[in-house]
Amino acid sequence: MTLQELVHQAASIYSDKIAVCFDECNSQPPVYYTYETVVTVASELSNFLQLHCDFQGIREVGLFCHPGINLPSWILGILQVPAAYAPVDPDSPPALSIHFMKKCNLSYILVEKQQINKFKSSYETLLNYDTLKEHNDLVLFRLHWKNVEVSLMLKDRKQKYEKEKMTNSTNSENSNEEKSEEHMDVRLKHCLAYVLHTSGTTGIPKIVRVPHGCIVPNIQHFRCELPVPLGFPLLGTVVEVRDTNGFTIQEGHGQIFLGGRKRVCFLDDETTVPLGTMRATGDLVMVKDGEMFFLGRKDSQIKRHGKRLNIELVQQVAEGLQQVESCAVTWYNQEKLILFVVSKNDFVKEYIFKELQKHLPSHAIPDELLLIESLPFTSHGKIDVLELNKIYLNYLNLKSECKLNGKEELWEKLQYLWKSILNLSEDPLKVPDESLFLNSGGDSLKSVRFLNEIEKLVGTSVPGLLEIILSSSILEIHNHVLQTVFPDEDLEFSKNHATKRKFSDSNQEETSGKSLHQKSVMTLSCDNELTAFTAVSRGSQILSLNTKSFTRLRLCSSAHSSDLISLTNTQNVKSLNPPALLGKSQDASCVAEVSEAGTCVAAAKKMELRVRWRSDTGKCVDASPLVVIPAVEKPSPTVYVGSHSHRMTALDLHSGKVKWEQILGDRIESSACVSRCGNFIVVGCYNGLVYVLKSNSGETHWTFPTEDAVKSSAAVDPTTGLLYVGSHDQRAYALDIYEKKCVWKLHCGGTVLSSPCLSLLPHHLYVATLGGLLLAINPATGKRVWQYSCGKPLFSSPRCGLQYVCIGCVDGSLLCFTHFGEQVWQFSTGEPIFSSPCTSASEQEIFFGSHDCFIYCCNMKGHLQWKFETTSRVYATPFAFHRQEGSSEMLLAAASTDGKLWILDSKSGQLQSVYELPGEVFSSPVVWESMLIIGCRNNYVYCLDLLGGYQI
């Protein structure tokens, strides 16, 4: 049985069914092929190849293309020749692809017409080839190799094999059959399915030829057994654990070996392999009570940026460079890849980096490159890794002493670091002010390096800098650093009302600042008394506590009051509405060009957004609002929100009137959280303090000091009353605000910028870091339950439901996990995801935004339901709500950074309305009843009425 036979079996039954769907994620609808179309396109290619290819020996055909609707047909067409499919990635370094093609002795390669220029520019000086013929969207090339070493070797082996056949022919027919049954032969016509290369265990990529007989059982296994039990081998696979002497063990430590009678691949130059061959995997395990527990890798493989990497490959490539006499590579603190080089002559760092980029994939490029006089060795003659780590640590300490000598030097040195990290050092031109890091060749790895270098240069932590690097221009990066390190003299609050706390003094508490416009709107209950309320925050989250009907954390299934909560009469809404202020509501015709096909609102009555009130905070409002609705008629619902002006403000939801303002010690980007009793508001601050303020007056109840800025928003545990919050000091904290103490703190292995998320069943606290870790923590003890490395920074906050926890990543992926830490699926967008996920009331859909300017809706299997194109990046978290009280129709509110508010139908993504605020928006919208509240970078908090919008 072969792969193509499996496809033809399906096609014979389901010829008119959809076989392939491809979505280019470019605002165009997906395209589909039926089984009949796939087979037809494949057969045309097979006939073409059979006509124009003269195969000698092993049949392999390369395919140089990007993914597209035709890719499955092209692969099938190659298999039907019959030949093996050999993928050649257009984005791989040419040197790697040349090694692969030469090692395979590849004679023919199909190149996608759209990639012809790239193929020729990359390979015309490295390859000898003839252009044979065009076929639809493909061009066939014949390759010629100057070095015929591989070809001769295969020829010799073939001659040897023929000799063996002639010798064996004198024996009985039975012995011949026995011989053929003992080996698998790569040269048999229908043997191979595809050819790949790996990093190998020696640092040199190995060629792996995979037979149909090795891969088909996987498909057959999944057909008959779904799901596959974890820890059990697939059909026809044998798993053994062997000790260092090669003996199979049932208990203890050893290495995993995989194989089976026909589950065997051909490595490099192998042409025949004995059936039942077992391969060493390099994975070390402990066997106990019949179960295997992973311990690590035998070789030097690490996982970096979500991809497996053998650091010996990096060392081997570096050693092959002209400038390098010898070198060593270390994985420093399991965070940084460091290359130590002994140079033959004058050391040119930029030359080394550029040469490495030619031969290594991006995830293999070192973080740092250090010149040393000689490599240190142990007494056993091996590289002394501990000594190399000491050398690097001394280097870091030395660099930290080189501080900036004034703000005048900042721009020049920032430009130097920019060019150095992006390998543009030889460019004498000034970096344009509007240059973006990611668009200039940067990635998350380089952005972290850039951040570290800047903080070493200025000699202090710069809160929020990584976020600025990934999303803003070099001029904005400069201004952000300048404002942090050299604060402006006219910051009216920082000097008049607060004294900056030193992060190094972790025991100092700050209670400075005074309350403005303090007005008691209710009597503060004692700490042991409870106030019944409902709190609504970003991402459609509602916390209803101390009411008779429910006391639990749940999703806001409605943006309206229920019979359980009595609110002030809102019939006089129009009398409270001031004239529209600066913003404008656009007609459907104005936005049709920025929305997807089918999202025009002409078929629906227009929903209007009209400013109800706005409140000036003095500076940018990036924090998201918190709305607290008491269960009694008075006091009225309150909006709590902080600002860059250091103000924490409480506003009347219906009128926008200021109830109180409190001046904190620094900027506020943390969104507020309400305590379990309802009597306190908790918010983090750039000065490293977590403030606990009385909700009715703003007076300081307690401040807790962390060791760096707090942008994370706190999460409350409704069962215990504990508050959980993260800090730039890389820790998560559990705080008892009533006893005024820290219950536990945990070092999370990276800056905690996003907000913790609490699951009650199971009782887990989820915390994400800029180091790329997602951690599940026991909320009672602060101990890790599990952790997962996403490989790239996590700005998005985790969102958990009854079954899953989801989070967005800087690499553009939305990741979904079970509560036990198993990844369920991954959905990829085109750009970083800073937006936090929002789930529907039924937990059947998940909504989020991306820097690729789209708002997405996926189902809980990770399949795209719809996407809507906005006019700018989407940083904010969407908010799902009912169109009106009692209605089953759900809408979605979202914001793009250019200030536009988008109201969409949550089921279809159809546009209902759009409104433009007069400033950038990083705050997330919150909806209650028919009011939408959001912060804006023009210094204002806005409340907008959602009017009309009933479907025809």
Side-chain angles (χ1 to χ4, degrees), residues 776-791:
I777 301 168
N778 184 322
T781 64
K783 302 295 184 183
R784 282 183 177 86
V785 179
W786 56 263
Q787 71 178 39
Y788 181 91
S789 176
C790 299

Side-chain angles (χ1 to χ4, degrees), residues 54-312:
D54 178 21
F55 293 104
Q56 298 293 328
I58 301 174
R59 296 181 168 207
E60 295 167 350
V61 177
L63 182 56
F64 186 93
C65 70
H66 278 143
I69 186 65
N70 287 309
L71 181 57
S73 298
W74 293 342
I75 295 173
L76 182 61
I78 293 171
L79 294 176
Q80 289 177 168
V81 168
Y85 159 61
V88 181
D89 187 356
D91 297 326
S92 286
L96 277 180
S97 296
I98 287 290
H99 169 81
F100 172 60
M101 290 188 284
K102 185 177 181 180
K103 193 76 175 175
C104 292
N105 194 31
L106 200 64
S107 297
Y108 296 97
I109 184 168
L110 289 164
V111 178
E112 188 178 16
K113 282 186 179 178
Q114 293 181 352
Q115 305 300 324
I116 285 292
N117 291 336
K118 188 169 189 176
F119 177 78
K120 289 184 176 180
S121 62
S122 299
Y123 296 100
E124 62 185 356
T125 60
L126 302 172
L127 282 177
N128 277 333
Y129 57 80
D130 300 326
T131 306
L132 294 184
K133 200 79 174 176
E134 292 186 9
H135 173 74
N136 296 334
D137 293 327
L138 296 169
V139 180
L140 179 65
F141 290 85
R142 184 178 183 115
L143 306 180
H144 305 281
W145 301 100
K146 294 178 182 178
N147 186 345
V148 293
E149 193 175 302
V150 176
S151 179
L152 289 174
M153 179 176 57
L154 288 176
K155 186 178 178 183
D156 289 344
R157 290 198 174 193
K158 185 177 179 182
Q159 289 174 348
K160 184 180 178 183
Y161 175 71
E162 295 295 339
K163 236 181 231 185
E164 287 176 357
K165 280 178 67 178
M166 290 177 65
T167 304
N168 290 337
S169 67
T170 59
N171 299 328
S172 68
E173 186 177 328
N174 289 337
S175 65
N176 278 332
E177 290 177 0
E178 184 180 343
K179 181 75 176 178
S180 64
E181 288 177 0
E182 291 176 355
H183 289 76
M184 186 180 291
D185 195 319
V186 73
R187 295 160 296 191
L188 296 178
K189 194 173 182 180
H190 292 279
C191 178
L192 286 186
Y194 54 88
V195 188
L196 302 172
H197 68 83
T198 69
S199 60
T201 57
T202 62
I204 304 173
K206 280 191 174 72
I207 305 304
V208 182
R209 291 183 168 89
V210 182
H212 288 276
C214 188
I215 194 66
V216 167
N218 287 5
I219 300 168
Q220 293 173 328
H221 186 108
F222 282 101
R223 275 180 171 179
C224 62
E225 187 175 352
L226 286 172
V228 179
L230 185 65
F232 289 87
L234 291 173
L235 190 66
T237 303
V238 176
V239 178
E240 291 180 359
V241 179
R242 299 180 183 177
D243 60 18
T244 53
N245 297 316
F247 295 108
T248 302
I249 60 172
Q250 303 301 323
E251 290 280 330
H253 295 70
Q255 181 183 181
I256 291 180
F257 282 69
L258 290 179
R261 179 164 176 79
K262 291 191 176 181
R263 300 305 298 271
V264 183
C265 299
F266 299 89
L267 298 184
D268 287 341
D269 304 322
E270 294 176 343
T271 55
T272 60
V273 176
L275 299 179
T277 296
M278 301 293 289
R279 304 282 195 190
T281 64
D283 291 324
L284 301 178
V285 296
M286 176 181 68
V287 183
K288 186 177 181 181
D289 299 329
E291 292 189 277
M292 292 184 294
F293 300 90
F294 181 69
L295 299 177
R297 291 287 302 169
K298 180 183 178 182
D299 48 43
S300 302
Q301 287 198 12
I302 62 173
K303 196 167 185 180
R304 188 168 185 247
H305 303 307
K307 296 183 179 180
R308 191 167 288 282
L309 169 67
N310 192 306
I311 62 175
E312 291 182 8

Side-chain angles (χ1 to χ4, degrees), residues 408-565:
E408 294 78 15
E409 293 183 1
L410 179 60
W411 180 245
E412 180 183 348
K413 293 193 174 182
L414 197 63
Q415 293 232 345
Y416 171 78
L417 290 175
W418 179 283
K419 293 177 182 179
S420 176
I421 287 167
L422 295 176
N423 297 316
L424 305 172
S425 298
E426 296 176 4
D427 189 349
L429 299 177
K430 171 181 172 290
V431 180
D433 294 355
E434 66 277 6
S435 298
L436 296 173
F437 192 79
L438 292 178
N439 291 352
S440 302
D443 52 31
S444 60
L445 168 64
K446 292 176 181 176
S447 70
V448 174
R449 285 178 53 206
F450 192 37
L451 166 71
N452 292 336
E453 292 296 332
I454 293 174
E455 292 189 335
K456 289 169 191 171
L457 174 67
V458 299
T460 185
S461 171
V462 185
L465 180 57
L466 182 56
E467 176 184 343
I468 299 294
I469 290 171
L470 288 168
S471 61
S472 304
S473 68
I474 187 172
L475 181 60
E476 291 171 303
I477 296 169
H478 170 267
N479 293 340
H480 182 81
V481 176
L482 192 67
Q483 186 175 356
T484 303
V485 183
F486 304 98
D488 294 336
E489 298 296 326
D490 61 349
L491 290 177
E492 57 264 43
F493 299 113
S494 62
K495 293 187 178 180
N496 296 337
H497 299 289
T499 303
K500 283 272 190 176
R501 185 178 69 83
K502 296 180 180 178
F503 290 136
S504 58
D505 185 3
S506 60
N507 295 319
Q508 180 183 353
E509 293 185 8
E510 179 185 12
T511 56
S512 61
K514 64 181 183 179
S515 180
L516 303 181
H517 308 294
Q518 289 183 6
K519 179 180 178 181
S520 179
V521 294
M522 67 166 139
T523 304
L524 180 67
S525 302
C526 297
D527 291 349
N528 59 355
E529 294 183 3
L530 304 177
T531 300
F533 66 92
T534 297
V536 186
S537 54
R538 64 183 178 185
S540 306
Q541 295 183 97
I542 187 168
L543 176 66
S544 292
L545 283 173
N546 315 323
T547 60
K548 292 181 180 179
S549 299
F550 49 94
T551 304
R552 59 191 173 120
L553 184 67
R554 66 180 179 90
L555 176 73
C556 181
S557 58
S558 170
H560 300 82
S561 59
S562 67
D563 294 336
L564 302 171
I565 303 171

Side-chain angles (χ1 to χ4, degrees), residues 340-387:
F340 299 86
V341 171
V342 178
S343 177
K344 291 180 180 178
N345 41 43
D346 292 338
F347 179 72
V348 183
K349 183 176 180 179
E350 289 74 26
Y351 165 80
I352 300 288
F353 267 120
K354 286 185 177 179
E355 288 300 306
L356 291 178
Q357 285 180 323
K358 292 179 183 178
H359 299 86
L360 291 171
S362 59
H363 68 279
I365 303 298
D367 295 287
E368 294 272 8
L369 197 156
L370 268 66
L371 176 66
I372 57 177
E373 293 183 0
S374 61
L375 293 176
F377 292 92
T378 66
S379 58
H380 300 288
K382 296 183 178 180
I383 296 290
D384 193 335
V385 176
L386 292 178
E387 187 60 32

Side-chain angles (χ1 to χ4, degrees), residues 514-523 531 533-534 567-568 613-617 626-641 647-663 678 681 693-699 941:
K514 64 181 183 179
S515 180
L516 303 181
H517 308 294
Q518 289 183 6
K519 179 180 178 181
S520 179
V521 294
M522 67 166 139
T523 304
T531 300
F533 66 92
T534 297
L567 294 173
T568 54
W613 54 257
R614 65 172 188 166
S615 180
D616 189 357
T617 70
L626 167 71
V627 179
V628 178
I629 304 98
V632 294
E633 187 171 346
K634 292 185 179 180
S636 60
T638 306
V639 177
Y640 298 95
V641 68
R647 299 186 201 177
M648 187 66 205
T649 308
L651 303 163
D652 184 276
L653 172 62
H654 295 296
S655 68
K657 182 179 178 181
V658 176
K659 293 185 176 183
W660 56 257
E661 285 182 343
Q662 173 71 286
I663 308 304
I681 297 297
L693 309 174
K694 295 180 181 178
S695 58
N696 70 333
S697 66
E699 295 176 2
V941 181

Side-chain angles (χ1 to χ4, degrees), residues 583-641:
K584 56 186 179 182
S585 185
Q586 299 181 354
D587 292 333
S589 59
C590 300
V591 298
E593 62 185 52
V594 298
S595 61
E596 289 192 302
T599 58
C600 182
V601 297
K605 184 177 179 181
K606 186 178 70 172
M607 170 179 278
E608 287 189 52
L609 280 77
R610 185 182 303 166
V611 174
R612 184 187 184 95
W613 54 257
R614 65 172 188 166
S615 180
D616 189 357
T617 70
K619 285 202 173 179
C620 300
V621 184
D622 285 343
S624 301
L626 167 71
V627 179
V628 178
I629 304 98
V632 294
E633 187 171 346
K634 292 185 179 180
S636 60
T638 306
V639 177
Y640 298 95
V641 68

Side-chain angles (χ1 to χ4, degrees), residues 873-891:
R873 300 189 306 260
V874 181
Y875 182 101
T877 301
F879 193 104
F881 62 100
H882 283 285
R883 179 181 285 274
Q884 65 182 68
E885 189 168 8
S887 169
S888 61
E889 185 181 356
M890 295 294 294
L891 300 178

